[in-house]
Amino acid sequence: MVPALPPDPPQAFPDLLAAFSYRERATRIDERNGIPCFTNEFWTSGQRKASRLHEVSYRACFKPQLPAFFIERLTRPDDAVYDPFMGRGTTPLQAALMGRRPVGSDINPLSAMLLAPRLAPPSLEEIAARLAEIPLSAPLPEGALLDDLRVFFHDSVLARLAALRAWFAARERSGALDPVDGWLRMVCLNRLTGHSPGFFSVYTMPPNQAVGADRQRLINAKRKQMPPPRDVDALILRKSRALLSQGKPPPHPPALLGTAPAENAGFVPDGSVDLVVTSPPFLDVVDYRTDNWLRCWFAGIDLETVPIAAHKTPEAWQAFVQASLRDIARTLRPGGYLAFEVGEVRSGKVLLEDHVVAAAGGLPLAVEGVMVNEQNFTKTANCWGVANNRKGTNTNRIVLMRKTDRPNGLHRSMTCPG
Ligand SMILES: C[S@@+](CC[C@H](N)C(=O)[O-])C[C@H]1O[C@@H](n2cnc3c(N)ncnc32)[C@H](O)[C@@H]1O
């Protein structure tokens, strides 16, 4: 393995990828349409254990090792690292853990609720004391919503959840919601539903694949199960201890977090960002609305008012990506890097990375290459064919771009060194 490059001169980054080796395996370099593609095992989950503070599940989140790879090589302490589609906040949290300035946004307000408390956690004593202050139960919700909630939760659990939910809502309305409340709400959101007794619900899908009430009725019938009573407070404290077991993030510059569309995140100043590591929704593959309905109910978010992107056609998706890239380019300093991760969709028939490269056309972003993090070289790794995921290997495909001072006409900025 080669040591991390100092970030200056950043234009050497593609050379670093070309020279990278993992367990003596050299990077493979292919080229298509003049764009180099670097394939190697650039990061693995085992290489370096991620902080337990990341252990908040979210649909289609990436592993912390992915942003860590870029942050380590392309930024210095105190630099700003931004994710405009931050989900659970993997990129900004990793930035904070590495002493960088976390900058993050998502169109769903749920994201900031999941991230902000983990950037500045309270102590376990504060968490336990606040929990003891919150009234033990509150009246259950009514009507069809109650019928749906009872598919997941025992009435005693629902009464406690109703009390916690009412507390957070009242504290928010009065402006009194503090970091301890924020932490408790984040842990509750994380523990709502899941597939083990560590969650408040009866057995259901893992929390990153939450299901609707009708689907859960079928699961309950098939498994002949009823929602059991759970000790909600004990589960909150247990999860808090686990999240904090490796300590808090080190000192880092203050976070800048928002709830905004990636196409127009005006709260992030022009030219203020050193590195962007991000991953947008892939067409309409994940239904973030359905997945997050219970979390949004608990957090008091009306999902009807959140325009989460879901595009059926690659053309519509490309236009959305172009609008997002334009705003990302605005936030980047000259020479700053953008790592834009996409996944395999439509059984490999649509190559999203091609659409990202096309979307960068005309913007002040030079495409420096595509990186494929291929975690199993015993199977055939084909940079552009991608039969790998179906065979059980794990790939990330990342379009690497760099902020320039003129529009990109050629969609390329380097020649493939091999
Ligand atoms: C693939 S997930 C990102 C996951 C993230 N990398 C993580 O590790 O948690 C895509 C995210 O984009 C958000 N999103 C959808 N449309 C958006 C838009 N127009 N602007 C900003 N965020 C959007 C979704 O709410 C979702 O959280």
Side-chain angles (χ1 to χ4, degrees):
M1 190 146 5
V2 291
L5 263 194
D8 281 330
Q11 59 268 29
F13 191 58
D15 296 340
L16 166 75
L17 299 178
F20 190 94
S21 74
Y22 179 66
R23 294 191 176 146
E24 297 180 14
R25 228 182 272 276
T27 295
R28 222 189 65 214
I29 303 168
D30 305 287
E31 189 181 296
R32 201 170 69 137
N33 300 335
I35 310 241
C37 171
F38 306 96
T39 304
N40 206 333
E41 189 161 358
F42 294 106
W43 56 85
T44 67
S45 11
Q47 231 165 38
R48 179 190 306 159
K49 281 270 170 252
S51 163
R52 294 205 68 183
L53 269 173
H54 280 292
E55 291 176 7
V56 166
S57 46
Y58 193 84
R59 189 73 188 270
C61 61
F62 46 48
K63 294 194 171 92
Q65 287 81 1
L66 186 159
F69 181 89
F70 298 100
I71 295 169
E72 184 176 359
R73 290 165 176 82
L74 292 167
T75 64
R76 297 193 161 102
D78 295 347
D79 277 0
V81 182
Y82 171 43
D83 186 345
F85 298 100
M86 70 174 172
R88 66 173 177 169
T90 316
T91 292
L93 177 58
Q94 189 59 35
L97 289 164
M98 296 169 79
R100 273 61 167 176
R101 175 168 163 80
V103 184
S105 179
D106 196 286
I107 201 147
N108 192 340
L110 186 65
S111 288
M113 292 183 192
L114 292 176
L115 171 65
R118 289 176 295 142
L119 292 173
S123 69
L124 282 168
E125 293 70 31
E126 288 172 305
I127 294 166
R130 179 62 51 79
L131 205 46
E133 232 183 274
I134 300 176
L136 276 179
S137 65
L140 302 188
E142 291 174 356
L145 174 63
L146 178 59
D147 292 342
D148 284 352
L149 292 171
R150 278 185 163 146
V151 180
F152 294 91
F153 305 109
H154 188 271
D155 272 5
S156 62
V157 173
L158 263 180
R160 182 65 177 139
L161 292 183
L164 289 159
R165 184 176 183 269
W167 173 274
F168 301 135
R171 300 274 285 184
E172 188 130 64
R173 268 197 309 275
S174 67
L177 192 113
D178 66 8
V180 190
D181 293 322
W183 177 273
L184 287 171
R185 183 173 61 183
M186 178 274 295
V187 176
C188 288
L189 288 168
N190 180 257
R191 293 288 94 186
L192 279 176
T193 60
H195 53 305
S196 80
F199 293 93
F200 305 152
S201 71
V202 67
Y203 175 96
T204 179
M205 302 297 281
N208 58 350
Q209 296 171 45
V211 296
D214 286 342
R215 174 97 190 279
Q216 186 60 32
R217 285 188 179 94
L218 295 176
I219 296 175
N220 289 357
K222 192 168 171 210
R223 294 174 61 93
K224 298 186 178 45
Q225 62 180 17
M226 300 273 282
R230 304 266 196 229
D231 187 337
V232 170
D233 290 21
L235 293 178
I236 293 173
L237 291 174
R238 196 168 98 189
K239 181 65 182 175
S240 298
R241 275 194 295 276
L243 284 168
L244 291 171
S245 59
Q246 290 166 319
K248 303 179 181 190
H252 57 83
L256 179 61
L257 304 183
T259 298
E263 308 92 297
N264 185 16
F267 75 94
V268 183
D270 295 4
S272 63
V273 167
D274 298 283
L275 169 69
V276 174
V277 185
T278 194
S279 175
F282 307 151
L283 301 181
D284 56 356
V285 169
V286 172
D287 184 349
Y288 293 96
R289 206 175 291 273
T290 312
D291 275 2
N292 284 320
W293 77 273
L294 247 172
R295 289 173 164 199
C296 288
W297 163 74
F298 186 78
I301 297 167
D302 177 4
L303 270 175
E304 293 306 315
T305 64
V306 184
I308 294 175
H311 298 282
K312 278 202 182 352
T313 65
E315 293 70 30
W317 186 80
Q318 186 177 311
F320 157 68
V321 168
Q322 178 153 60
S324 306
L325 292 180
R326 180 174 291 113
D327 199 62
I328 291 170
R330 175 191 65 75
T331 67
L332 273 171
R333 68 159 167 82
Y337 266 94
L338 160 59
F340 200 86
E341 194 246 350
V342 291
E344 186 190 330
V345 294
R346 312 280 194 255
S347 310
K349 291 195 189 82
V350 176
L351 297 178
L352 289 183
E353 55 271 38
D354 281 1
H355 291 278
V356 176
V357 171
L363 299 178
L365 291 170
V367 178
E368 299 226 315
V370 172
M371 282 172 75
V372 177
N373 191 50
E374 166 58 66
Q375 298 202 357
N376 185 348
F377 270 74
T378 58
K379 297 188 176 129
T380 315
N382 175 351
C383 171
W384 303 102
V386 214
N388 304 309
N389 282 347
R390 286 192 298 280
K391 290 180 187 160
T393 57
N394 184 4
T395 61
N396 297 101
R397 313 170 69 71
I398 290 150
V399 183
L400 261 184
M401 290 166 263
R402 196 160 157 250
K403 172 77 180 281
T404 55
D405 53 5
R406 70 181 81 90
N408 153 3
L410 292 173
H411 307 162
R412 56 177 289 191
S413 69
M414 66 168 283
T415 325
C416 174

